[in-house]
Amino acid sequence: MGKIAKLLDSAIAEVAPGWAAERAKSRAILAISGYHGASISRPALAGFRPAVQDADDDIGDLRILRARSRDLARNAPLAGGAINTNVTHVVGTGLSLQPAIDYEYLGITEEAAQAWQDNVLRRWRAWAEVPQCDVTRHQNFYGLQSLAFRSMLESGDVFILMPMTSGRLALQLVEADRISNPDLGPDTSKRVAGVELDAAGAPVAYHIAKKHPGRLVGASAGPWQRVEAFGPSSNRRNVLHLFERLRPGQTRGVPYLAPVIEPLKQLARYTEAELQAAVISAAFAVFIKMDPQAFQELFDDNGQASYLSAATSWDGSYPDTGLNGPGKAVNLLPGEEPVMQSPGRPNEKFDPFFMALARQIGLRLEIPLEVLLKHFTSSYSAARAALLDAWRVFRCRREFLATYFCQPIYEEWLAWEISNGRISAPGFFADEMILNSYCGATWVGDGPGSIDPTKDVEAARARVEMGISTLADESILYDGVDWRTKHNQRVREVRARKNDGLEMDTPAIVAQ
């Protein structure tokens, strides 16, 4: 223990002996902790004393985290690629609705349930597949899925308002920065980063700035509008807050790239430096040196001045870098000599170092190196293992998006359609169990693809024959399209070929 600490302990002992005893006891406990990670006496951990804070205090610097995350997504290939890979595999062409009501609880036949679901799906597509479902009239529901998920990854969270526009439900995505305390004031016990909370920590209302706080045009972000999370009388959901909660009590989301911002930025700088060094190495030029005595004899005073002026100017092939163009001849002043140094580029150690760091970044982002870099050079088994590992993560995030974005919006749309008499659902608003039975649905996305389709098909056939899977499950796993849709299309195709006399051209169909 240092001299200053000893003097401090002595002073505390004089004033508050009880407190001094507690300090000594705590120090002794830490020194003999059962976990070496809690020791304060081991040299490797002596200076490692992070603060113990709650979830919101630990993410109090969200503003700079968002700014850096977005900059990396725009300008760092590895960071942007990680986000694009997630969006492509999780959302892809969009998660499609498949109504699945509990017809047994509702007391209706399977045929009646199928007719109800077909009608709902038809009406849903009329709403979801046109830009009118977006307040800004730019994207349909599937485009909004992609935008919402991307915004959540880049900024940490995104907010979705669900106003009624021209007699129909519309969606308005609000960027994370606009949800803030009025006049950008400090947090309080009941309001954190623009989210108003009740005593249990549940959201009561959201404070939304009229403009983005970082917008260059305009004097102020305000005024702020207070939007209640739920309607006071209808209990209708007004706002969706899409973010991944990592700790109990966490109010706002953290950008996906936050844990790896520093290595991503350093790796981008290193890549840029290596690229610049390679360009310099490639821009080879010939330097011509003139003897000073000959220079004096060949030119008079005016000629010398003119020659020197031309010799000291750069070539200009790369005006933005100050480099000579490749293969150029450059004059030197009398008495000057070029000092040539080989930069040793391309650097043979660059790729191994880049790959090692990318592997660690991919580990934290839960993306295998092969999938992160889109580079498969190992065996079939290794490539398949990487894809399967990544697909498990993508499926979890797809389920998250379906649960906290797609399903709540579908339920609001369905309630609105039923309340306006466009869809019949007896008892929908009278009984919560009936409501939940009508709202049942699955959300289908793109399939994972295949490295060896023949092996995958044989494996799927074996699973179905063994009874551990079904055609419906295998159809979803294959390309995300439900079995019923394919079956109906298959029936139409077989019937058409048979009617046109082409059945003998397809022995496999005839055999079935």
Side-chain angles (χ1 to χ4, degrees):
M1 187 167 56
K3 293 182 179 179
I4 297 178
K6 290 181 179 179
L7 291 175
L8 179 61
D9 284 346
S10 299
I12 293 175
E14 291 291 334
V15 179
W19 187 17
E22 287 296 325
R23 281 171 53 86
K25 181 180 178 181
S26 299
R27 185 179 295 110
I29 291 174
L30 288 174
I32 60 173
S33 173
Y35 287 96
H36 290 169
S39 173
I40 62 172
S41 60
R42 299 176 72 88
L45 300 173
F48 184 31
R49 300 187 184 184
V52 179
Q53 303 179 126
D54 70 6
D56 288 331
D57 288 338
D58 269 345
I59 57 175
D61 49 2
L62 276 176
R63 182 173 176 272
I64 191 168
L65 284 177
R66 292 190 195 116
R68 289 175 175 175
S69 172
R70 293 169 189 156
D71 182 80
L72 288 171
R74 290 191 299 264
N75 300 308
L78 198 62
I83 289 178
N84 289 340
T85 296
N86 271 278
V87 175
T88 299
H89 287 83
V90 173
V91 182
T93 57
L95 306 186
S96 301
L97 170 68
Q98 296 294 329
I101 65 174
D102 186 353
Y103 64 90
E104 294 179 344
Y105 182 83
L106 294 172
I108 60 177
T109 64
E110 185 176 358
E111 291 73 16
Q114 188 59 52
W116 189 90
Q117 291 174 168
D118 291 342
N119 177 53
V120 168
L121 184 58
R122 191 176 299 111
R123 290 187 172 276
W124 168 261
R125 287 174 175 171
W127 177 83
E129 295 178 358
V130 294
Q132 280 72 22
C133 67
D134 178 11
V135 168
T136 63
R137 300 295 191 268
H138 282 295
Q139 295 171 294
N140 61 16
F141 180 64
Y142 309 106
L144 290 174
Q145 290 178 23
S146 178
L147 179 60
F149 187 62
R150 181 183 296 275
S151 298
M152 187 194 78
L153 294 179
E154 289 189 7
S155 303
D157 51 11
V158 66
F159 296 80
I160 303 94
L161 306 183
M162 295 184 287
M164 294 296 169
T165 304
S166 302
R168 59 185 287 156
L169 177 69
L171 305 177
Q172 181 181 1
L173 268 60
V174 180
E175 198 163 36
D177 310 68
R178 289 181 57 193
I179 310 299
S180 55
N181 295 332
D183 299 320
L184 302 178
D187 291 343
T188 66
S189 59
K190 295 183 179 180
R191 190 173 59 204
V192 177
V195 182
E196 194 173 317
L197 306 171
D198 63 13
V204 174
Y206 301 90
H207 296 265
I208 307 175
K210 183 178 181 180
K211 300 177 183 178
H212 192 287
R215 189 176 181 183
L216 299 178
V217 180
S220 171
W224 275 257
Q225 179 184 2
R226 183 180 183 271
V227 179
E228 295 185 345
F230 297 89
S233 57
S234 65
N235 202 34
R236 176 183 178 270
R237 190 192 303 266
N238 295 324
V239 183
L240 294 179
H241 184 190
L242 192 64
F243 76 106
E244 183 179 9
R245 202 173 193 185
L246 303 175
R247 291 178 59 184
Q250 181 179 336
T251 306
R252 298 295 302 268
V254 181
Y256 174 61
L257 300 177
V260 291
I261 283 178
E262 183 178 2
L264 280 171
K265 184 59 178 177
Q266 293 289 61
L267 193 59
R269 287 170 174 161
Y270 177 45
T271 302
E272 183 179 357
E274 287 292 337
L275 178 60
Q276 184 70 1
V279 171
I280 294 173
S281 178
F284 176 79
V286 177
F287 294 84
I288 302 174
K289 177 184 176 183
M290 179 176 289
D291 182 74
Q293 185 64 33
F295 181 76
Q296 294 290 339
E297 295 175 357
L298 289 174
F299 300 100
D300 58 15
D301 292 342
N302 291 333
Q304 292 178 15
S306 176
Y307 185 88
L308 292 176
S309 177
T312 54
S313 63
W314 286 102
D315 175 78
S317 294
Y318 299 123
D320 56 333
T321 63
L323 298 174
N324 293 311
K328 300 296 182 180
V330 181
N331 291 315
L332 297 178
L333 297 178
E336 293 183 338
E337 290 187 8
V339 178
M340 305 296 293
Q341 292 184 350
S342 175
R345 296 298 187 278
N347 183 2
E348 61 181 13
K349 296 181 179 179
F350 170 75
D351 191 63
F353 179 78
F354 179 92
M355 296 291 281
L357 200 55
R359 188 176 292 109
Q360 295 187 42
I361 292 173
L363 178 65
R364 180 59 184 84
L365 298 181
E366 292 189 282
I367 304 179
L369 181 66
E370 295 87 348
V371 179
L372 178 63
L373 300 182
K374 303 291 192 296
H375 187 58
F376 299 90
T377 58
S378 54
S379 64
Y380 167 84
S381 300
R384 179 174 172 78
L387 288 172
L388 289 176
D389 183 63
W391 187 245
R392 279 192 288 268
V393 177
F394 296 144
R395 285 189 64 183
C396 290
R397 292 186 179 138
R398 176 178 291 182
E399 185 66 24
F400 170 86
L401 185 66
T403 302
Y404 298 103
F405 180 82
C406 299
Q407 184 65 24
I409 292 173
Y410 168 63
E411 292 175 5
E412 288 297 322
W413 172 87
L414 184 60
W416 181 252
E417 292 289 303
I418 293 172
S419 65
N420 283 274
R422 289 187 285 266
I423 296 176
S424 175
F428 185 87
F429 295 105
D431 188 295
E432 184 177 353
M433 290 295 294
I434 294 178
L435 184 149
N436 290 334
S437 298
Y438 275 115
C439 289
T442 58
W443 295 90
V444 180
D446 300 333
S450 176
I451 299 177
D452 191 332
T454 302
K455 291 183 179 180
D456 291 340
V457 169
E458 290 301 322
R461 187 197 308 275
R463 286 193 293 268
V464 173
E465 291 176 352
M466 291 177 62
I468 61 175
S469 184
T470 65
L471 286 175
D473 290 339
E474 295 300 333
S475 177
I476 295 295
L477 289 174
Y478 174 65
D479 60 2
V481 180
D482 66 294
W483 175 83
R484 181 183 177 84
T485 300
K486 295 177 184 176
H487 174 74
N488 293 338
Q489 179 63 25
R490 182 74 165 168
V491 170
R492 288 191 290 267
E493 291 176 355
V494 172
R495 184 179 296 128
R497 295 183 71 86
K498 186 176 182 179
N499 292 339
D500 293 337
L502 299 177
E503 56 192 274
M504 297 306 296
D505 295 338
T506 55
I509 295 179
V510 174
Q512 288 181 1

